[in-house]
Amino acid sequence: MEKINRRNALGILARWSAGSFIPFSWLVQGCKDSSNPTLFNEEYQLLLADIVEIILPETDASPGAKEAKVHHFIALIAEDCYGIERKDRILVGLNQLLGDGFLDYSSEKKYEVIEQLDEEATATTHKIPHYFKDLKSLTQWGYFSSKPGIMEGLRYNPIPGYYKGCVPYNGEIAWY
């Protein structure tokens, strides 16, 4: 092993100092994404916002899924975590709704369409699951893991206190 003297130490220090002045932006040029960052464009986001608000609407006691921005959560999870078949199934279903003019429907008609999709999704006996099952489960997951969903939608108690093993049930809502 080489003995380090003052001359060697200054040489090492000079090399490290010179290396810190080299701009490394050229190294990350390949990391820039020049493509469209999302498959779920603004029209899909509007559609998803309407769907999640019908699934988990706003009440007097808690905000709805739209206010919790669950539609952004769905787009993120579907795009980044789902396989191509599952993602395509959701996109085909959303395209069908857009093609039918879902965004222009009245509130009652939107509710009827979503209710019909829910019935189809639960009655499906095919090997391929209905896309609405994914949308519904993602809505619930996104809402009940969001701050508004936890703090206002559920009975959040930041300081739970001591454990009471036997408490009479008074009909209040519990954790879902």
Side-chain angles (χ1 to χ4, degrees):
M1 183 166 180
E2 184 181 341
K3 211 172 161 183
I4 295 186
N5 57 27
R6 189 179 347 189
R7 180 173 285 171
N8 289 343
L10 288 174
I12 291 170
L13 184 62
R15 285 191 291 275
W16 277 97
S17 297
S20 66
F21 291 114
I22 298 172
F24 288 101
S25 61
W26 58 273
L27 285 176
V28 292
Q29 289 290 337
C31 297
K32 292 184 181 174
D33 187 15
S34 60
S35 65
N36 189 5
T38 181
L39 291 173
F40 295 90
N41 60 22
E42 187 176 335
E43 194 173 28
Y44 286 124
Q45 290 291 329
L46 292 172
L47 177 63
L48 285 172
D50 282 352
I51 292 171
V52 299
E53 191 62 24
I54 292 170
I55 294 172
L56 287 171
E58 180 179 1
T59 65
D60 293 335
S62 64
K66 186 176 182 178
E67 188 176 332
K69 299 191 183 344
V70 172
H71 51 288
H72 296 299
F73 174 80
I74 291 174
L76 178 74
I77 293 295
E79 184 172 347
D80 291 347
C81 302
Y82 279 3
I84 191 75
E85 297 89 17
R86 202 170 182 185
K87 188 185 321 182
D88 284 346
R89 189 172 55 240
I90 291 173
L91 286 172
V92 166
L94 293 177
N95 282 331
Q96 183 178 359
L97 287 174
L98 285 173
D100 292 343
F102 184 85
L103 292 175
D104 299 327
Y105 289 163
S106 66
S107 298
E108 294 82 20
K109 178 71 174 168
K110 286 180 182 180
Y111 182 81
E112 289 173 11
V113 169
I114 295 301
E115 191 174 40
Q116 181 183 6
L117 285 174
D118 192 30
E119 289 173 7
E120 288 175 14
T122 55
T124 301
T125 56
H126 302 319
K127 291 182 181 179
I128 301 172
H130 198 277
Y131 75 95
F132 190 74
K133 278 187 176 182
D134 285 333
L135 291 180
K136 192 172 180 180
S137 65
L138 283 173
T139 300
Q140 293 169 345
W141 176 22
Y143 182 74
F144 292 114
S145 61
S146 70
K147 186 175 180 178
I150 291 171
M151 302 293 278
E152 298 174 51
L154 298 173
R155 289 188 341 178
Y156 175 70
N157 188 0
I159 305 172
Y162 61 93
Y163 175 73
K164 297 179 195 174
C166 187
V167 178
Y169 176 68
N170 298 325
E172 70 272 359
I173 62 167
W175 285 84
Y176 296 94

